Amino acid sequence: MDLTDEEKRQLLVYARTAIESRFEDAPAAVPHSSSENLSVRRGVFVTLRVGTELRGCIGYVESNAPLGGTVQEVARKAAFEDPRFPPVQSEELPRISIEISLLSPLQVVKDPDAIEVGKHGLVIEAGGRRGLLLPHVATEYGWDREAFLNHTAVKAGLPAGHWRSQDVLICSFTTETFSEAELQPH
């Protein structure tokens, strides 16, 4: 799905206002859009950064809610519920940049050599554990395919090389990623 720049800006506004509304002790406004693209149900991650530093990232591989509402929900979770970081404070808001990654449906990986670093994100599942890394994580850290698989396994709480085991399910996905830095909302 290719979103228009206006649809991307609208999703970024939904994300920011969902976070800001928390400080006003008010619910985020329910998104209304005539765009069919913003009503689809699909996985989405919201990443928050201060400069180049990660400040929060949470999302869903799949969603049962329309895209606009899902973006609001995961934006709030990234800001206030990412266990790696303390909750965002109101004075941080002007410095926070929002990035949204829309996920394609998962595809089972039968041959790990088919994984393209920088293009594919990964989900590794085994023994009731699941780890996910977005496509750009591998390129940000300069990982090759094997390092990407190892880090995704570790994110799932598995040993690094465990992705080679027969009991592991590896899935890939692609993303459509955009940020406030690229598309300043009007």
Side-chain angles (χ1 to χ4, degrees), residues 10 14 17 27-33 68-69 72:
Q10 190 62 55
Y14 290 162
T17 57
V30 177
H32 293 288
S33 174
Q72 288 182 314

Side-chain angles (χ1 to χ4, degrees), residues 153-166:
V154 169
K155 180 108 187 258
L158 303 167
H162 196 76
W163 57 270
R164 293 182 181 93
S165 299
Q166 294 296 334

